[in-house]
Amino acid sequence: MTRSQLRWRLRSGRWTAPLPGVYATFSGELSGHQQAIAALLYGGPSACLTGAAALVVHGFDTAPRERCVRIVVPCNRRVPSTGFVRVHRTIRPDSFGRRYGPLRVASPERCVVEASRLCADPGRVRAMVAEAVQSAHCTVEDLTRELEAAPKAGTAVLRRAVAEVLAGVRSVAEGDARALLARSTVLPPLLWNPVLKALDGTALPSPDGWIPDVGLALEVDSRAYHLSPADWERTLRRHARLAEAGAVVLHFSPQQIHRDPAWFVASVERSYLARLTANPRPPIRTVPR
């Protein structure tokens, strides 16, 4: 195709140029998928998607909404940000990147780190970390490795979220509960998602939170964070097994924790003090992971 033919198609409106050197053989707005393809064409064969747009490609439900598409290119590529594309240069190639059809995408752990560094919402950062681990996009070890290699600026919230996962927290609601209960002057430190067994060695369900001295279990009951609807009844039966073994099980919804945090903390404290007064000795032991 000659330059004059190209100019004619652009002038006539049949084609558009969403980015310098990139042409769409149609008119109208580009979809998110088309923007991602255009951004990679603009960045060149060594470019890959990162950040929120890349998380969408990976299938994250918790990806932040951004109007721009972020790509990462080698540091020797002099490609400026323009239009809807934001270019990030790196001296550290991502050897764990993936390909989805025409899209080259940075690894899930790298995308989570990059998106979190630019996200001002701590709840959203927690949600991305929780989904990354729960949905097996990557492991907490992958996140930790990437976090240590990434620039430190803007990672404080992300580091706290990863620390929660390392401590056993596996959901946003659990993270909220952990932060609230950690400030209590009444409660001892809780164990999160511990491995429990009866004294005879029988395996018991793992509660979200656990106070071993008094056998007090906390469950954050939410289909959205933990379960598919088909598993709901089965999980309730597993929780009942803890009660049969001698534990007291407290159930809270994420909405209760979010809407009335003071009531939530007070409820756990009252239950703990009541168990402490009764001086129970639950026949349950905590097994090291």
Side-chain angles (χ1 to χ4, degrees):
M1 178 171 292
T2 64
R3 290 183 180 272
S4 61
Q5 288 175 318
L6 178 58
R7 286 194 296 268
W8 179 81
R9 282 168 170 77
L10 292 173
R11 283 198 303 267
S12 67
R14 296 185 181 185
W15 288 14
T16 56
L19 296 168
V22 179
Y23 304 98
T25 59
F26 54 87
S27 59
E29 296 291 328
L30 272 64
S31 68
H33 183 71
Q34 290 166 339
Q35 283 188 337
I37 293 175
L40 290 174
L41 290 172
Y42 173 71
S46 58
C48 66
L49 297 175
T50 190
L55 289 177
V56 172
V57 177
H58 281 304
F60 277 67
D61 294 325
T62 54
R65 300 303 174 201
E66 281 193 318
R67 294 185 177 181
C68 65
V69 176
R70 299 185 184 275
I71 60 173
V72 61
V73 300
C75 60
N76 59 356
R77 287 277 292 141
R78 301 300 178 188
V79 183
S81 297
T82 186
F84 56 81
V85 178
R86 297 295 175 268
V87 179
H88 301 264
R89 295 183 180 86
T90 184
I91 60 173
R92 192 168 52 90
D94 187 356
S95 57
F96 299 99
R98 302 180 185 179
R99 193 171 190 113
Y100 299 92
L103 301 180
R104 299 181 300 277
V105 188
S107 62
E109 57 268 25
R110 187 153 188 170
C111 296
V112 169
V113 171
E114 292 298 330
S116 297
R117 291 180 64 235
L118 298 165
C119 181
D121 181 359
R124 177 72 68 173
V125 173
R126 263 185 184 157
M128 286 188 284
V129 172
E131 183 176 3
V133 176
Q134 287 177 338
S135 300
H137 290 292
C138 61
T139 66
V140 66
E141 291 78 15
D142 294 333
L143 281 171
T144 302
R145 182 195 68 243
E146 181 59 35
L147 186 55
E148 291 307 312
K152 300 298 185 290
T155 62
V157 174
L158 176 60
R159 290 178 185 277
R160 287 195 294 271
V162 173
E164 288 176 350
V165 174
L166 285 170
V169 175
R170 288 294 184 268
S171 78
V172 176
E174 284 179 44
D176 293 339
R178 180 176 185 257
L180 289 168
L181 297 177
R183 295 195 289 264
S184 171
T185 58
V186 175
L187 299 171
L190 278 74
L191 303 178
W192 296 93
N193 297 286
V195 178
L196 302 181
K197 288 189 177 181
L199 293 183
D200 62 2
T202 303
L204 296 173
S206 177
D208 295 329
W210 177 245
I211 304 179
D213 293 344
V214 297
L216 186 63
L218 274 64
E219 292 289 354
V220 180
D221 296 325
S222 171
R223 293 180 176 89
Y225 288 115
H226 287 292
L227 308 166
S228 66
D231 292 334
W232 184 245
E233 293 295 335
R234 182 175 62 185
T235 299
L236 291 181
R237 289 194 296 271
R238 288 175 55 248
H239 293 178
R241 177 70 184 93
L242 280 172
E244 293 171 2
V248 168
V249 185
L250 304 180
H251 293 266
F252 300 96
S253 71
Q255 291 77 16
Q256 289 174 319
I257 296 171
H258 177 71
R259 293 173 185 169
D260 200 342
W263 167 84
F264 162 68
V265 174
S267 179
V268 177
E269 290 176 342
R270 286 193 298 268
S271 299
Y272 168 71
L273 292 174
R275 292 282 283 180
L276 201 61
T277 301
N279 194 26
R281 294 183 180 276
I284 300 173
R285 60 189 179 93
T286 306
V287 181
R289 291 184 180 275

